[in-house]
Amino acid sequence: MLVSIIVPCYHEEAALPFFLREMRKTMAALSGEFGCEVELLFVDDGSRDRTLELLRGFAGEDKRVRYLSFSRNFGKEAAMYAGLRHARGDYVAIMDADLQHPPAMLREMYRGLRSGEYDCVAARRENRAGEPPVRSFFARQFYKVINRISDTEIVEGACDFRMMKRRMVDAIVSMGEYNRFSKGIFSWVGFRTKWLPYENVERVAGETKWSFWKLLLYSIQGIVGFSTAPLALASVLGLVLCVGSLIMVVYIIIKTLLFGDPVGGWPSMACMVLFLGGVQLFCMGILGQYLAKTYLETKRRPIYILAETDEETAHEP
Ligand code: UDP
Ligand code: MG
């Protein structure tokens, strides 16, 4: 049995030494307890700090460590996809490099898979302690909205920290979409998932790469990727406005017949024109979102570009 552990890294020079030290212990524990082999597959997501240098060093010292390095920053989604494609294990795990995902949980995950009852064991955040309240609020709203309008269930608090069987990995790799939203993809492929609760811990060193803005864009990507409900919004709004305006026409005709037609109503007219213009632009914007994603998908660009892997450096004289 080979277990691959995929670790996306972007500017993680501060956290990596701690991470490797912890992982060495966990790998020893895994091998000792279950007799399996473990490979660590780091994916350097185009870091411009010393991350790649550290990874080269790790791979040189330890045969169990492999790495891939991107030509630029392609994002964590791309890094996870590259890792899944290159992992050789029968079981494949994904975890962050900042030790926010406790390595000790890997053993529990492995045990869950070995029991044969599950195809995937994933960590799930029970609470959002230590997070800015505004961010928690928006996160909660996001899960509410997306689960209402999408057929794919997006589990609240589910994170990318998980271990999967080969079959599930192959299913995920077969989804070669350019606009990737893993929370949706993991759930879309199905399979039996066991959820392990875990507490959020502070990252060991360095800082988070997710700004509020980045998270907002990511959530829009999730909605556009896994629901077409916003497209129907235009029709619904249009229908409501049509009915409303019909009622108003009848009202105005009756009023004119009864009281004549004194000039007036300019301000309300201006408001209506503005309102309708706004609604139309908003709906066009939604259309535009889907069009843009379709445009990018049809280009069939690669999801990531490799600049270097450990195999090449190993063969260099
Ligand atoms: N990461 C990445 N590419 C990016 C951003 C992040 O590979 O563009 C990696 C990062 O190195 C870390 C993981 O994704 O291993 C999670 O990132 P981070 O800890 O910044 O996010 P948070 O835990 O705050 O959600
Ligand atoms: Mg983190």
Side-chain angles (χ1 to χ4, degrees):
M1 273 293 175
L2 176 65
V3 180
S4 302
I5 299 170
I6 299 166
V7 190
C9 309
Y10 181 52
H11 292 178
E12 297 286 6
E13 62 174 4
L16 276 177
F18 296 101
F19 179 79
L20 191 72
R21 207 174 56 204
E22 282 301 311
M23 280 315 287
R24 285 228 166 93
K25 290 184 209 155
T26 312
M27 284 157 81
L30 271 172
S31 313
E33 191 175 341
F34 306 105
C36 56
E37 278 181 65
V38 185
E39 70 168 5
L40 267 181
L41 176 54
F42 290 98
V43 185
D44 165 39
D45 187 6
S47 313
R48 287 176 306 276
D49 62 356
R50 287 182 50 248
T51 300
L52 179 58
E53 223 173 286
L54 287 175
L55 294 182
R56 282 193 198 117
F58 293 167
E61 285 164 20
D62 194 335
K63 280 205 309 291
R64 297 172 301 177
V65 177
R66 299 167 57 203
Y67 69 86
L68 310 168
S69 179
F70 288 177
S71 58
R72 65 168 169 86
N73 180 242
F74 279 89
K76 188 185 176 191
E77 289 289 342
M80 290 194 290
Y81 179 70
L84 290 173
R85 272 186 68 166
H86 285 85
R88 300 181 182 133
D90 306 293
Y91 292 169
V92 180
I94 303 176
M95 67 190 296
D96 286 1
D98 54 10
L99 287 177
Q100 277 184 314
H101 297 158
M105 277 176 74
L106 286 170
R107 283 159 64 192
E108 211 173 322
M109 290 181 169
Y110 187 85
R111 223 173 280 138
L113 290 185
R114 279 292 293 272
S115 73
E117 221 175 303
Y118 298 99
D119 303 296
C120 172
V121 185
R124 180 177 179 181
R125 256 161 75 171
E126 292 286 86
N127 58 34
R128 296 187 161 267
E131 205 185 44
V134 184
R135 181 176 284 201
S136 307
F137 172 77
F138 278 102
R140 232 172 267 137
Q141 295 310 315
F142 166 72
Y143 285 109
K144 240 183 235 161
V145 169
I146 197 164
N147 278 319
R148 178 154 297 179
I149 64 180
S150 169
D151 297 333
T152 309
E153 198 204 352
I154 314 286
V155 179
E156 176 157 11
C159 62
D160 300 326
F161 183 28
R162 57 181 62 222
M163 192 186 281
M164 297 168 279
K165 284 192 181 159
R166 181 82 258 167
R167 195 164 290 174
M168 182 162 171
V169 174
D170 290 341
I172 292 170
V173 169
S174 75
M175 293 179 75
E177 56 207 76
Y178 183 76
N179 297 288
R180 301 188 76 75
F181 182 68
S182 283
K183 284 185 205 307
I185 292 175
F186 289 141
S187 152
W188 193 90
V189 296
F191 294 101
R192 293 156 302 174
T193 301
K194 178 179 182 179
W195 296 102
L196 296 181
Y198 96 104
E199 289 274 325
N200 200 25
V201 284
E202 295 276 309
R203 62 159 44 237
V204 60
E207 54 194 51
T208 177
K209 281 98 205 165
W210 291 92
S211 61
F212 186 78
W213 182 244
K214 251 183 147 177
L215 278 175
L216 186 72
L217 291 180
Y218 185 60
S219 64
I220 292 178
Q221 173 147 332
I223 291 177
V224 173
F226 282 88
S227 167
T228 50
L231 284 174
L233 192 68
S235 325
V236 174
L237 269 178
L239 203 68
V240 169
L241 284 172
C242 277
V243 172
S245 64
L246 270 180
I247 294 172
M248 264 164 73
V249 165
V250 172
Y251 168 74
I252 287 170
I253 289 176
I254 294 174
K255 202 177 119 186
T256 313
L257 287 178
L258 290 181
F259 305 107
D261 184 22
V263 181
W266 272 107
S268 53
M269 178 74 91
C271 288
M272 257 146 61
V273 170
L274 270 181
F275 174 69
L276 283 180
V279 168
Q280 281 176 351
L281 278 180
F282 177 68
C283 292
M284 265 167 65
I286 293 177
L287 273 177
Q289 281 293 321
Y290 284 88
L291 183 70
K293 299 290 176 197
T294 316
Y295 175 62
L296 286 175
E297 289 299 343
T298 52
K299 283 188 180 228
R300 301 205 141 271
R301 282 181 181 162
I303 295 167
Y304 61 88
I305 294 170
L306 289 181
E308 179 184 329
T309 70
D310 55 313
E311 270 130 47
E312 291 153 25
T313 35
H315 293 147
E316 265 169 26

